[in-house]
Amino acid sequence: MKFETFAKYLKHSVIPHPSNDHRPYLLRHGALSFYSASLITLKILTLVLFALSPSFAELATISSSEIISLTNLERQNLGQHPLKSNPQLSQAALLKAQDMLENDYFAHQSPDGKSPWHWLEKTGYQYASAGENLAIGFNEAKTAIAAWMASASHRDNILNSNFLETGVAAVTGDFQGNTTTVIVQFFASPKKQAPQETLQKILKPQVSSPQPLAAKPSPEIKILSPDPFGYIRSLNNTIIGYTSLANETVSLMEKGKKILETRADQNGNFSFILKGDLDLADGLHHFSFLVQEKDQHLTASITVPLHIDLEGPQIFADKVNIFSVFDPQNNTYYLEVPISGNVAKVTVAFGGKITELKKIKEGVFGGFISRNKNEAMERMDISIRVQEPDGHYSQEIISSALPAFMDNEEAKITPSYVTASQLNRLLRNLLAIFIITIIVLLLINVLVRIRVQKPGIILHTIAVLIVMTTLLLI
């Protein structure tokens, strides 16, 4: 009975016949007016929401000067000279970023074959060597730099000692249907002008002089084991050295204070045994070794940096950072793990994959991790394993609630913006469905009773289709 009632209602709603006066319920003036009013209202609300929501450009906090500052900070942390900002390189970076957004690509080489160096040549920059880093989807300079430092090739550009100058551009625009920010950074060393050669010979008179007396060689001291910046991992470790001053006293000192004393043998060999009662804290120590010849007042000294590491590596789980990365292809995240101690290798098990993290700065390891986007999880567990050179390791499991790993490809944008964007896409899909449905209903209305037509309904339906198509295009 219910099926018969539904079939009858469907027939009255869709098919014109005498019982509904050849005017299907879904195409009557009241229904058509309701469709138009509802969709226009939704479109207005969407436009208002977009107007009130901050744009990605307003949310992004990336500036060229900050990228350069953070780049130089990474270089200085590893003893490299800072890069100077060059306006020609910055202009080249701007042109490259604009070209990527205009032509909807993200690559070092453009679809029409332009290499990165095309943009340098376009601005007239003469370079001896150059490099390029690209990033997309970041709204903070520090996360972009961290991601570059976790990638070997990008890190090499940032830390390359041959580069002297840099230029950066961060441009926000539409990329593959999403509003995002593209960052381009060029590195280069300018081509030097060849100096003019002076072909001039200066004749000097020959001056005879007596042979100088051979100087007595300076005393020598060196540490044979461990190597500089080496590790002392257990008590009673031995430091082995050699001095040319045989049978003399050798002192081990730190910060001007004598720690131990020993005597070199007849061959100049000496050793120190670091015992537990010395109370040496874990960390980098700068030990000085001093030897002195009593009779002739000759001295020799050397300072050797050595790591004391009596404890295993420590993972600071409460300070681990996880960033969502805009990636249209994969469900990818960027992970930063602070670790103390002597580290040989850091691996992460996540989403059924094992990824090795790279050292991005002192005490911090980072890298990209990914999982299957369709994988259903209530919580996500990340297992971090830190291995020392001697094979010992520490392991930590970090559990995070699913919202921390947003599947939204616009996870870098605030929720208000994401809501507006999603609502606009939903409305466009709804409009497309309505347009197809109304066209089908209109064709049924015209063709089923071709001799009995209602011009008013046909004209009203066509007007609604025009309104819907206009809303779809806005």
Side-chain angles (χ1 to χ4, degrees):
M1 190 70 179
K2 290 183 179 180
F3 176 77
E4 293 177 357
T5 303
F6 175 76
K8 183 178 180 181
Y9 178 79
L10 184 62
K11 179 180 178 181
H12 285 305
S13 300
V14 176
I15 301 174
H17 56 86
S19 299
N20 60 15
D21 193 25
H22 300 285
R23 294 184 301 146
Y25 295 159
L26 295 179
L27 288 182
R28 293 192 175 185
H29 295 297
L32 293 171
S33 298
F34 175 76
Y35 306 151
S36 301
S38 300
L39 293 172
I40 290 173
T41 301
L42 283 174
K43 189 65 177 183
I44 292 173
L45 289 175
T46 303
L47 294 176
V48 170
L49 186 57
F50 266 111
L52 295 178
S53 299
S55 67
F56 188 92
E58 293 171 336
L59 291 167
T61 58
I62 296 177
S63 67
S64 300
S65 60
E66 190 177 6
I67 290 286
I68 294 174
S69 176
L70 291 172
T71 297
N72 283 331
L73 181 61
E74 295 293 348
R75 291 175 65 88
Q76 290 168 358
N77 286 340
L78 293 176
Q80 295 288 358
H81 59 267
L83 300 176
K84 295 181 180 179
S85 176
N86 182 284
Q88 286 178 292
L89 291 178
S90 295
Q91 179 64 21
L94 177 62
L95 294 174
K96 173 62 179 288
Q98 291 174 339
D99 188 70
M100 285 196 295
L101 290 175
E102 289 172 4
N103 295 290
D104 220 26
Y105 74 95
F106 181 69
H108 292 292
Q109 184 164 321
S110 67
D112 57 356
K114 293 187 183 74
S115 72
W117 328 128
H118 164 83
W119 308 103
L120 301 183
E121 294 164 1
K122 192 168 184 178
T123 62
Y125 186 89
Q126 299 293 319
Y127 60 92
S129 60
E132 179 189 57
N133 278 359
L134 303 178
I136 189 171
F138 295 93
N139 60 2
E140 287 186 350
K142 64 179 182 180
T143 54
I145 291 292
W148 279 340
M149 289 298 291
S151 166
S153 58
H154 296 89
R155 175 187 169 90
D156 289 345
N157 277 340
I158 290 175
L159 301 179
N160 192 321
S161 60
N162 294 324
F163 294 145
L164 302 175
E165 298 177 336
T166 186
V168 180
V171 181
T172 299
D174 181 80
F175 178 78
Q176 297 183 358
N178 295 276
T179 302
T180 191
T181 295
V182 170
I183 307 171
V184 179
Q185 182 172 21
F186 278 118
F187 306 85
S189 56
K191 183 181 291 185
K192 295 181 180 179
Q193 297 293 332
Q196 292 185 351
E197 295 183 355
T198 311
L199 300 177
Q200 182 179 7
K201 294 184 179 180
I202 302 176
L203 297 178
K204 295 183 179 180
Q206 297 294 323
V207 179
S208 61
S209 60
Q211 291 293 327
L213 294 174
K216 185 176 181 178
S218 300
E220 179 187 6
I221 184 171
K222 58 185 177 181
I223 302 303
L224 304 177
S225 176
D227 293 331
F229 291 99
Y231 283 82
I232 297 173
R233 301 192 175 284
S234 63
L235 298 177
N236 300 322
N237 266 59
T238 302
I239 299 175
I240 300 174
Y242 165 80
T243 178
S244 59
L245 298 177
N247 299 315
E248 298 293 348
T249 300
V250 183
S251 300
L252 169 60
M253 309 178 70
E254 184 177 27
K255 297 180 180 179
K257 181 182 177 181
K258 185 184 294 184
I259 300 175
L260 290 172
E261 190 174 81
T262 189
R263 182 175 293 274
D265 63 20
Q266 60 183 4
N267 296 317
N269 299 314
F270 64 88
S271 63
F272 291 99
I273 298 177
L274 299 183
K275 298 181 179 180
D277 56 2
L278 294 177
D279 194 25
L280 296 172
D282 275 12
L284 181 64
H285 293 254
H286 290 82
F287 293 121
S288 296
F289 299 85
L290 175 68
V291 62
Q292 181 173 5
E293 187 180 35
K294 293 179 181 179
D295 296 339
Q296 299 192 25
H297 305 289
L298 296 177
T299 62
S301 65
I302 186 173
T303 299
V304 179
L306 295 174
H307 290 276
I308 302 295
D309 182 27
L310 303 181
E311 298 179 2
Q314 182 180 0
I315 303 170
F316 299 97
D318 57 330
K319 295 182 180 179
V320 170
N321 291 320
I322 304 172
F323 305 99
S324 295
V325 177
F326 170 67
D327 186 344
Q329 305 298 327
N330 301 308
N331 201 15
T332 304
Y333 310 94
Y334 178 72
L335 179 70
E336 277 186 0
V337 183
I339 300 171
S340 67
N342 183 30
V343 179
K345 187 177 182 180
V346 180
T347 55
V348 175
F350 170 68
K353 301 177 181 179
I354 296 178
T355 305
E356 183 175 351
L357 302 185
K358 302 296 182 182
K359 184 177 180 180
I360 59 176
K361 58 183 177 181
E362 190 62 36
V364 180
F365 290 74
F368 293 96
I369 58 176
S370 62
R371 68 176 177 90
N372 184 356
K373 192 168 185 178
N374 298 321
E375 187 177 359
M377 292 185 180
E378 293 183 0
R379 296 189 66 82
M380 305 180 72
D381 294 329
I382 300 174
S383 177
I384 304 171
R385 177 175 170 140
V386 182
Q387 184 175 331
E388 293 184 299
D390 57 9
H392 295 148
Y393 69 88
S394 299
Q395 188 160 337
E396 190 84 29
I397 296 178
I398 299 173
S399 182
S400 177
L402 191 59
F405 298 82
M406 298 174 65
D407 283 336
N408 195 323
E409 63 186 18
E410 295 175 358
K412 296 294 290 181
I413 307 173
T414 59
S416 60
Y417 177 86
V418 173
T419 302
S421 177
Q422 288 179 333
L423 180 59
N424 185 53
R425 288 197 293 267
L426 177 62
L427 182 59
R428 291 173 66 87
N429 293 336
L430 187 63
L431 283 167
I433 293 172
F434 257 90
I435 289 173
I436 295 172
T437 303
I438 295 300
I439 290 175
V440 171
L441 290 175
L442 181 60
L443 290 175
I444 292 174
N445 183 73
V446 171
L447 298 177
V448 171
R449 293 289 188 269
I450 198 165
R451 295 184 178 181
V452 183
Q453 301 296 332
K454 300 291 183 179
I457 288 180
I458 295 175
L459 292 175
H460 196 172
T461 303
I462 293 174
V464 170
L465 287 173
I466 293 173
V467 170
M468 289 184 178
T469 303
T470 303
L471 295 176
L472 183 63
L473 297 176
I474 294 177

